Amino acid sequence: MRKFILLASAALLASCTGGGPADLHKEPNVELIQDMMESPAIKAQDFDTFNREQSASRLPPEGTVPVGFAKYPYHLQPDLGAKQKNPFDGKMTPEVLELGRTKYETYCAVCHGYEGKGDGPVSVKMSVKPPSLLTDKIAVTYTDGHIFHVITDGQGVMSSYAYQLVNPNDRWAIVNYVRSLQKLGRGASAKPEKK
Ligand code: HEC
């Protein structure tokens, strides 16, 4: 009797694997627990099976914020944004400038040019040209906070870069790097004296 049970369970096991290793990928397994084979998962790009008008990928409930995310408080308020203090104010150290250069050359130079002249490779194709960052307007009138605001919130046809440059320090480092480009491109008078 015991022998029979052993044989029977061996046969059952063999049927589970579809006969032998060679057939493993040709035959579907015996579905012992069907729910696990046919899972109700739907692809994010699919439609909702309960409502074909709706996408399968649900929106988070209103007001949801990612952990660690601080909402930019000066959205569409450049005057207030301009008053923010640069944590790297006057810190033109190799570390800050190198961080700023890497980020600037990755995210800004395509439009504003490697030297900040507004002549990046993409600018040729744009109808609204990216402005030079070396003009009086930006070098003298714009505070560090104002440049930070434009990077964070966007301006006109330039979109926000806060999602690519998630860490605000990266954006402030870009501000310092832009100041260094202004010094190079305009001579020593680039940054207004501290009041
Ligand atoms: C896709 C091209 C593009 C990229 C990339 C881009 N910008 Fe701009 N930027 C523009 C355009 C176009 C404007 C003019 C927008 C307007 O006022 O309508 C602008 C405006 C600005 C201004 C304000 C100029 C003014 O006269 O008021 C600053 C400062 C600036 N950009 C800095 C940056 C920095 C720093 C980066 C990188 C984080 C960056 N931009 C990335 C296209 C770009």
Side-chain angles (χ1 to χ4, degrees):
M1 183 62 192
R2 181 178 283 177
K3 212 170 195 177
F4 173 73
I5 293 174
L6 268 178
L7 271 177
S9 44
L12 185 71
L13 272 177
S15 75
C16 282
T17 56
D23 299 325
L24 212 56
H25 301 291
K26 290 183 199 146
E27 298 281 324
N29 291 339
V30 173
E31 295 182 29
L32 291 178
I33 307 168
Q34 285 188 337
D35 277 359
M36 292 177 75
M37 301 287 284
E38 289 155 32
S39 89
I42 29 180
K43 293 208 167 95
Q45 299 84 350
D46 226 328
F47 56 81
D48 185 339
T49 41
F50 296 108
N51 174 10
R52 290 185 72 102
E53 300 296 308
Q54 204 172 303
S55 142
S57 159
R58 298 288 167 91
L59 290 174
E62 212 175 308
T64 307
V65 280
V67 173
F69 176 82
K71 197 169 171 227
Y72 184 61
Y74 307 119
H75 176 51
L76 296 179
Q77 302 175 86
D79 294 346
L80 292 180
K83 296 203 174 106
Q84 296 172 92
K85 288 272 161 288
N86 182 351
F88 300 145
D89 189 19
K91 229 179 143 190
M92 303 302 256
T93 59
E95 291 77 25
V96 172
L97 291 181
E98 186 53 24
L99 176 64
R101 186 187 64 79
T102 321
K103 301 297 177 186
Y104 179 89
E105 291 187 351
T106 308
Y107 296 104
C108 320
V110 281
C111 285
H112 291 282
Y114 284 86
E115 293 165 29
K117 292 180 183 162
D119 57 355
V122 170
S123 69
V124 194
K125 306 213 180 229
M126 293 176 69
S127 47
V128 179
K129 299 283 174 216
S132 160
L133 301 176
L134 311 181
T135 54
D136 275 2
K137 181 182 174 195
I138 296 158
V140 182
T141 324
Y142 273 30
T143 59
D144 285 4
H146 201 152
I147 299 176
F148 179 86
H149 175 85
V150 175
I151 304 172
T152 306
D153 207 37
Q155 177 184 296
V157 295
M158 180 184 143
S159 59
S160 158
Y161 280 80
Y163 299 96
Q164 280 96 329
L165 297 155
V166 177
N167 187 340
N169 282 349
D170 291 349
R171 282 173 258 146
W172 286 115
I174 290 180
V175 172
N176 281 23
Y177 184 67
V178 167
R179 292 300 187 206
S180 77
L181 289 180
Q182 291 169 346
K183 276 213 174 86
L184 276 175
R186 294 165 48 92
S189 66
K191 206 180 171 193
E193 290 302 312
K194 291 269 140 37
K195 277 164 229 141

